[in-house]
Amino acid sequence: MNSSIWLFGYGSLIWRPDFDYISSRVAWVSGWSRRFWQGSHDHRGVPQAPGRVVTLFPSEAERCGGMAFEIDQKVAVEIFTQLDYREKNGYERQQAALFFTQSESVEGVFYYAAENNPAFLGPASDEAIASQIKQSHGPSGSNEEYLRKLADALRQNHIVDEHVFAIERALDNETDR
Ligand code: SIN
């Protein structure tokens, strides 16, 4: 029996895991892309004015880089109960191969919010997403902080994500106006 479980984080879990883990490694999942398409009613917005947070969207030709966390099996039930609560606004668990290199991978799990969940907002222009992020605040803080911390964490880990960086640029332009 495996003594640990791997969890892949691609959004706030990269920069605020907030749980105990044995080790962490930069990893990617294949066939998924990170998108600011999920509405946030409970963290970075409120029900009347949802913010936008990331989910993964199936995308055959793409891959998404993030952080894989190795969790001790003995505390996994407790940690996943906490995470299920944290990610309750539309996210479900999905199993996937987490790649560390082209030839090294482990089976793991990530949280993703599917297109059919009630909080899903879907695509919009970079400018529209940036504008919504600029205006949104929720119990966990501003939506802008979420975007900036995510973009910084990606850069620190040498992960390129043109979608996230384009929205960050659109937000910078909005701030400059
Ligand atoms: C994740 O970070 O892996 C899930 C989405 C989020 O909480 O931002």
Side-chain angles (χ1 to χ4, degrees):
M1 194 177 110
N2 284 344
S3 58
S4 60
I5 295 178
W6 285 90
L7 168 68
F8 178 73
Y10 56 90
S12 67
L13 292 178
I14 302 181
W15 47 267
R16 193 174 70 83
D18 218 13
F19 55 80
D20 290 334
Y21 52 89
I22 301 168
S23 67
S24 64
R25 288 180 76 176
V26 171
W28 74 83
V29 287
S30 203
W32 296 89
S33 55
R34 178 179 12 238
R35 292 288 181 266
F36 266 92
W37 288 357
Q38 174 67 2
S40 177
H41 303 164
D42 56 347
H43 284 297
R44 301 291 169 168
V46 290
Q48 307 83 331
R52 272 189 182 256
V53 291
V54 287
T55 182
L56 291 184
F57 197 74
S59 182
E60 217 173 295
E62 288 191 56
R63 67 184 211 176
C64 173
M67 192 63 74
F69 299 95
E70 185 185 12
I71 296 172
D72 190 333
Q73 180 86 52
K74 290 197 279 299
V75 292
V77 169
E78 187 188 328
I79 288 176
F80 279 102
T81 302
Q82 285 165 14
L83 289 173
D84 285 353
Y85 182 77
R86 170 171 163 175
E87 304 292 337
K88 66 185 183 310
N89 193 203
Y91 290 83
E92 55 195 274
R93 285 190 229 157
Q94 169 81 24
Q95 278 192 292
L98 314 184
F99 287 89
F100 302 124
T101 68
Q102 294 286 0
S103 57
E104 189 190 0
S105 66
V106 288
E107 270 305 302
V109 65
F110 59 76
Y111 283 86
Y112 100 108
E115 211 175 345
N116 60 0
N117 86 86
F120 190 79
L121 294 175
S125 68
D126 297 340
E127 290 71 23
I129 293 177
S131 175
Q132 185 172 353
I133 288 174
K134 180 86 189 150
Q135 290 164 30
S136 299
H137 300 262
S140 298
S142 75
N143 206 171
E144 178 167 354
E145 178 196 48
Y146 176 102
L147 167 67
R148 301 261 182 218
K149 286 199 167 168
L150 175 58
D152 286 346
L154 294 179
R155 277 188 288 270
Q156 276 161 21
N157 289 293
H158 311 289
I159 299 167
V160 175
D161 189 317
E162 277 313 324
H163 172 75
V164 174
F165 296 155
I167 292 167
E168 186 186 38
R169 280 194 302 276
L171 191 70
D172 288 339
N173 290 340
E174 176 148 321
T175 307
D176 291 346
R177 257 187 250 137

